[in-house]
Amino acid sequence: MELESFSMCSLIRFFTNVSFTTLCFSLAITTILILTLKRPCLPKMNKFLCSCETCQAYLTSSWTKNFDNLCDWYSHLLRNSPTKTIHIHVLRNTITANPENVEYMLKTRFENFPKGRAFSLILGDFLGRGIFNVDGESWNFQKKMASLELSKSSIRSFAFEVVKFEIQQRLVPLLLSKQNRVLDLQDVFRRFSFDSICKFSFGLDPMCLELSLPISDFALSFDLASKLSAERAMSVSPLIWKIKRLLNVGSEKKLQKAVKLINILAKEVIRQRRKMGFSNHKDLLSRFMTSVNDDNYLKDIIISFLLAGRDTVASALTSFFWLLAKHPEVESRIILEAEEVIGKNKNGDKDYLTSFEEIQQLHYLHAAAYESMRLYPPIQFDSKFCVEDDVLPDGSLVKGGSRVTYHPYAMGRLEEIWGWDCYEFKPERWLKDGVFCAQNPFKYPVFQAGMRVCLGKEMALLELKTVALSLLRSFHIQLLTPHNRNPRFSPGLTATFSGGLPVKVRQRQREQPRPTPPI
């Protein structure tokens, strides 16, 4: 086992929150770990003693004097780097916003940049052997199985029906009941996407979006497990959370409790599905059960899909509506395009949801969604681990066993990629003669790219656009936070607005049909 570089401040904060007996035990374990290392610890400690400006700013958190978010500080450093690559030595982490490096990691030398064992350990308690937490044969098997199922028109139709039901029967009635009252739209989107993905993945309905806004134990545990797993990843040293897990104290005790409840509920759903039979059910779990008999494995697969389908969609919707509130001209163009393609009063109901095929014709809406995620990607950065010593295309040397991170959030703010107006929200940059034109995915790795490209990309976009279209045609949404204030993000596996997205909603006035003039 290796001792990673660590922050004394982090250890002190941990030790001051535990009892004297636990403290002594922890120090004893730490000493044993250090003395039983296979390699000397001095080289590792040298990274903690790194005196470079970047490492010192990270260790002392002095970057917070000028930046609200860690991602904004990293973006600043990457913009000012000639290669668009930086090194955080104390973390053994190379961070890049260089598209050539991204392509090298995700495609050219894919085998040398897996998720890696260290990452799998961080999320192992929560995601187990799910697709987002494994490499090699297990990842290949799940990818092939998921690709086969998610590419079927039947499951796309099922997904659209689930989203349509949630919007018509729950989301719209909820917003109508909350008119002119302060509402956290981010919380609403998280509830909506959790209900939707549970139905799609499990065939389970948590009903978190009912008018009384109940919150299920499953959703609460899922939120907590996601948050605490992310805190593991942000820790300067894995030694800290590993000791806490060994002692079953603090955040690790809470994490184990949350994961235990998630596993119990997930396995119960699987048991009930086996009991009832699954051959005639449309949800993802039923489809996977035709190929997998291991209930633990099924549980891990489905929880990974819940994480991807719930948090990323909610994050994307939150950022999208925040940007639209600041840019009413974009909102007006989306509504105008919908009226031109779908019509104003289709079936006599202005907020009536259209078909999957008609949504595909809304090029400006599609461009606005892409532009929103360029500036505010749901996954702000993604890390891989380098297996063998390597050299990135920009000349950066990467040591085997170190982490390499590509940073979509920073890439969306690079003038070299997007031009002088890279900070502006301009859906038009994605259009050519009114038709959406995709960019190089390695310049826009919001959905990853290469071998690990997001399998649920099309369904996530369908959900985002369907919700946006329905709400924009039905409601005026007023942002209550100052327009000139950039969002602060809470720690988590996906981008989450700290403090939520407080808004007031008001139903749009329906246009009365004009009387037919007399002949």
Side-chain angles (χ1 to χ4, degrees):
M1 164 178 190
E2 291 184 4
L3 174 64
E4 298 287 353
S5 56
F6 61 92
S7 163
M8 287 298 180
C9 294
S10 298
L11 285 176
I12 290 170
R13 282 196 299 269
F14 162 60
F15 287 139
T16 53
N17 288 326
V18 299
S19 67
F20 178 76
T21 302
T22 304
L23 172 61
C24 293
F25 186 37
S26 303
L27 288 173
I29 291 175
T30 304
T31 303
I32 291 170
L33 288 170
I34 292 174
L35 293 176
T36 55
L37 294 174
K38 292 181 179 179
R39 286 187 274 177
C41 66
L42 187 57
K44 300 295 182 185
M45 291 301 294
N46 283 339
K47 286 190 289 296
F48 168 69
L49 299 174
C50 178
S51 60
C52 80
E53 184 179 351
T54 300
C55 288
Q56 287 302 306
Y58 182 86
L59 288 170
T60 63
S61 296
S62 61
W63 59 267
T64 57
K65 294 177 183 178
N66 299 312
F67 301 94
D68 291 333
N69 301 296
L70 185 63
C71 58
D72 289 313
W73 179 53
Y74 281 158
S75 296
H76 167 75
L77 295 175
L78 290 163
R79 277 197 310 275
N80 291 316
S81 166
T83 61
K84 309 308 172 195
T85 300
I86 60 172
H87 304 278
I88 311 293
H89 307 107
V90 295
L91 297 178
R92 300 189 73 203
N93 193 4
T94 297
I95 304 175
T96 187
N98 187 320
E100 291 183 358
N101 290 348
V102 176
E103 183 170 6
Y104 188 78
M105 293 165 55
L106 300 183
K107 180 182 176 183
T108 310
R109 286 276 284 161
F110 173 75
E111 295 80 8
N112 200 39
F113 296 94
K115 281 290 183 184
R117 184 172 179 271
F119 184 89
S120 295
L121 283 174
I122 288 171
L123 296 180
D125 291 322
F126 182 29
L127 299 183
R129 296 174 291 163
I131 189 170
F132 305 112
N133 204 40
V134 291
D135 294 302
E137 188 176 324
S138 182
W139 170 77
N140 245 319
F141 168 72
Q142 292 183 56
K143 180 191 176 185
K144 288 178 181 178
M145 185 167 60
S147 297
L148 178 64
E149 294 299 336
L150 295 176
S151 63
K152 293 178 179 177
S153 59
S154 59
I155 202 162
R156 290 182 179 178
S157 297
F158 175 62
F160 184 70
E161 289 305 312
V162 167
V163 171
K164 185 176 177 180
F165 174 88
E166 285 295 316
I167 292 173
Q168 290 181 327
Q169 303 301 319
R170 289 181 176 159
L171 183 56
V172 169
L174 173 68
L175 295 184
L176 286 172
S177 73
K178 302 292 183 180
Q179 286 190 84
N180 299 315
R181 293 162 59 184
V182 177
L183 184 68
D184 180 1
L185 201 56
Q186 178 173 253
D187 177 60
V188 170
F189 288 147
R190 287 170 69 84
R191 291 167 180 271
F192 169 84
S193 57
F194 191 69
D195 278 0
S196 298
I197 196 62
C198 280
K199 280 186 174 182
F200 174 72
S201 297
F202 274 149
L204 169 73
D205 187 359
M207 298 188 291
C208 293
L209 205 59
E210 288 290 319
L211 291 180
S212 60
L213 289 179
I215 191 72
S216 68
D217 289 341
F218 190 36
L220 285 172
S221 298
F222 203 87
D223 280 342
L224 184 59
S226 176
K227 174 179 177 292
L228 296 178
S229 295
E231 289 178 2
R232 278 184 176 181
M234 295 174 64
S235 176
V236 175
S237 169
L239 184 62
I240 297 171
W241 67 260
K242 286 179 181 178
I243 291 174
K244 291 168 73 175
R245 183 176 65 174
L246 180 65
L247 299 175
N248 194 30
V249 297
S251 58
E252 286 298 312
K253 183 177 182 179
K254 294 177 183 177
L255 175 60
Q256 298 308 318
K257 184 178 179 181
V259 167
K260 182 179 180 180
L261 182 58
I262 292 170
N263 291 345
I264 289 172
L265 292 172
K267 287 181 179 179
E268 178 60 22
V269 171
I270 294 170
R271 191 186 70 81
Q272 290 292 341
R273 181 66 79 245
R274 284 201 187 281
K275 184 178 178 180
M276 294 186 298
F278 49 82
S279 58
N280 295 323
H281 290 273
K282 298 178 181 179
D283 59 274
L284 201 58
L285 171 62
S286 296
R287 293 166 184 261
F288 278 24
M289 288 175 77
T290 61
S291 304
V292 179
N293 293 318
D294 183 341
D295 285 0
N296 279 321
Y297 197 19
L298 280 170
K299 180 263 301 178
D300 292 342
I301 291 172
I302 299 301
I303 286 176
S304 289
F305 276 94
L306 284 177
L307 177 68
R310 181 272 185 108
D311 290 1
T312 54
V313 171
S315 175
L317 280 168
T318 301
S319 302
F320 189 52
F321 276 85
W322 181 78
L323 282 166
L324 290 180
K326 295 178 63 176
H327 296 86
E329 73 283 359
V330 174
E331 177 182 324
S332 297
R333 282 203 58 180
I334 291 173
I335 294 171
L336 179 61
E337 179 187 55
E339 291 177 348
E340 291 173 349
V341 173
I342 302 167
K344 287 187 178 182
N345 290 294
K346 187 171 183 179
N347 292 336
D349 192 350
K350 191 174 181 180
D351 62 4
Y352 184 83
L353 285 176
T354 184
S355 66
F356 173 81
E357 291 72 24
E358 283 182 325
I359 287 179
Q360 299 301 92
Q361 299 175 40
L362 301 174
H363 290 274
Y364 188 83
L365 173 61
H366 195 73
Y370 262 70
E371 179 71 349
S372 173
M373 288 186 285
R374 178 184 71 83
L375 290 169
Y376 296 101
I379 308 292
Q380 295 175 339
F381 59 89
D382 188 33
S383 292
K384 312 294 182 185
F385 279 83
C386 183
V387 178
E388 300 175 348
D389 291 0
D390 210 331
V391 179
L392 300 178
D394 67 2
S396 299
L397 174 64
V398 182
K399 287 288 186 180
S402 64
R403 190 177 358 164
V404 188
T405 299
Y406 66 93
H407 210 289
Y409 183 94
M411 295 177 76
R413 288 159 172 73
L414 285 185
E415 189 172 332
E416 289 82 352
I417 299 177
W418 301 103
W420 61 269
D421 58 353
C422 59
Y423 279 90
E424 295 183 25
F425 178 54
K426 291 179 61 177
E428 292 79 11
R429 75 174 80 244
W430 295 89
L431 298 172
K432 185 175 181 180
D433 297 327
V435 177
F436 176 83
C437 294
Q439 298 284 342
N440 182 335
F442 300 106
K443 293 181 179 180
Y444 182 83
V446 170
F447 296 99
Q448 292 211 49
M451 298 293 288
R452 277 192 179 263
V453 67
C454 176
L455 300 176
K457 171 184 172 181
E458 296 304 323
M459 279 188 285
L461 284 166
L462 171 65
E463 185 173 352
L464 190 157
K465 291 188 292 183
T466 305
V467 172
L469 184 65
S470 179
L471 296 197
L472 291 177
R473 300 186 84 194
S474 303
F475 299 97
H476 290 286
I477 299 175
Q478 177 190 356
L479 189 66
L480 297 186
T481 54
H483 282 204
N484 60 349
R485 182 185 300 169
N486 289 327
R488 291 193 177 201
F489 298 104
S490 300
L493 298 175
T494 54
T496 303
F497 282 27
S498 178
L501 185 64
V503 300
K504 284 188 176 181
V505 298
R506 176 170 52 86
Q507 188 176 21
R508 292 184 184 273
Q509 294 299 314
R510 301 180 186 275
E511 294 183 7
Q512 297 298 322
R514 295 177 181 177
T516 304
I519 299 175

